[in-house]
Amino acid sequence: MISTTDGELTGKVALVTGASRNIGRAIAHALAAGGAAVAINTRKSREDAEKVAQEISTAGGQSAVFMADIADEGAVKAMVADVIKRFGRVDMLVLNASVRTERPFTELSYEEWRLPLAITLDGAFYCTQACLPSMINAGGGSIVTLGGLNSLSGAKKRVHGSVAKHGLVGFTRALARELGEYGIRANCVAPGSMNTPVRANRSPRPEAKDVVPLGRKCEPDEIATTVRFLCGPGASFISGQTIHVNGGQSMF
């Protein structure tokens, strides 16, 4: 958990989707440590999200929980309206929410195919459109999407997820082209193998020491510090980029 605060995000408001656990939780903490007020979004994990908000409050930060399924346009519009009512604006949007399931492509149903697309791509569309008026009115903002190694390398049993994350890279680059005139930057952070809890039925993966030059998995805080940097003034001329945080596991 990040506790160092230098205030580079003071006065700003961030909305982080899927912020109740793991990478999202770490991002919420990092942005709050930078001085931002953080809107913690979750679809159903209210107890975990409230715990994150309490942790931020204990550390001297400001945050609140906003429940919404980001694949639901109406729910997103209502959530963003509530965030603006509470905090006055949205300056930073971090699109972290996703779903990770595995299924051989030959067995994949249409419903299973659509699930990651709905959350990752439809959710990005709804959230970005809802937040843009506030960013444009403020004269700028930052959008950070969370991609993944599989978006470029592909992965067995994850065709649906790989397509969703790869689409997010294109979404990010196109936004950077279109929104630059408003002072809005868009970047993607692509984590490698993460040191986070995994499902019991997940397919076996190689040991990090065998595939990562740095010999270990990435910690959520290492993703979070990258996101915080991209949201801050130090990244004022960085836009349209995919930042790979994978310890050299893949090099692009």
Side-chain angles (χ1 to χ4, degrees):
M1 192 187 312
I2 299 168
S3 59
T4 302
T5 305
D6 60 25
E8 84 277 11
L9 302 178
T10 297
K12 304 294 186 180
V13 177
L15 169 58
V16 184
T17 68
S20 63
R21 295 191 295 266
N22 299 331
I23 294 175
R25 171 181 175 270
I27 291 170
H29 275 286
L31 298 180
V38 181
I40 300 167
N41 160 258
T42 184
R43 179 169 62 95
K44 59 182 181 180
S45 305
R46 177 179 286 278
E47 183 176 350
D48 290 335
E50 292 288 359
K51 183 178 179 180
V52 176
Q54 182 57 52
E55 291 167 348
I56 289 173
S57 177
T58 299
Q62 185 179 8
S63 67
V65 174
F66 297 86
M67 302 288 294
D69 177 357
I70 65 166
D72 181 326
E73 182 180 15
V76 169
K77 287 181 176 179
M79 172 183 67
V80 173
D82 287 344
V83 172
I84 293 173
K85 182 178 180 181
R86 173 69 180 267
F87 294 122
R89 57 197 288 169
V90 177
D91 302 282
M92 298 164 282
L93 172 63
V94 181
L95 294 163
N96 170 71
S98 65
V99 60
R100 297 170 181 84
T101 61
E102 293 187 352
R103 179 79 67 183
F105 184 71
T106 54
E107 301 174 11
L108 192 66
S109 69
Y110 178 74
E111 290 72 23
E112 290 170 321
W113 163 262
R114 278 296 308 163
L115 182 59
L117 299 179
I119 295 174
T120 301
L121 296 181
D122 294 352
F125 172 77
Y126 296 143
C127 289
T128 302
Q129 283 210 330
C131 291
L132 276 181
S134 181
M135 293 185 183
I136 292 171
N137 186 59
S142 178
I143 299 167
V144 179
T145 63
L146 271 291
L149 191 60
N150 293 339
S151 67
L152 294 178
S153 65
K156 293 176 64 175
K157 300 183 181 181
R158 290 188 176 187
V159 171
H160 49 331
S162 297
V163 168
K165 290 296 188 179
H166 195 75
L168 201 59
V169 173
F171 177 83
T172 305
R173 291 175 178 174
L175 285 183
R177 295 278 187 190
E178 187 166 337
L179 302 179
E181 64 181 281
Y182 301 109
I184 298 171
R185 298 177 296 106
N187 292 287
C188 180
V189 176
S193 297
M194 294 299 305
N195 186 24
T196 54
V198 297
R199 301 179 309 279
N201 61 346
R202 181 178 176 179
S203 298
R205 295 288 189 271
E207 291 293 326
K209 63 182 177 60
D210 296 326
V211 295
V212 181
L214 291 182
R216 62 175 177 83
K217 293 183 177 181
C218 181
E219 298 294 335
D221 283 351
E222 293 173 308
I223 303 300
T225 54
T226 305
V227 172
R228 174 175 167 176
F229 168 72
L230 290 172
C231 287
S236 59
F237 206 59
I238 300 176
S239 192
Q241 306 305 309
T242 299
I243 310 299
H244 294 275
V245 186
N246 62 36
Q249 184 175 356
S250 290
M251 303 178 191
F252 301 98

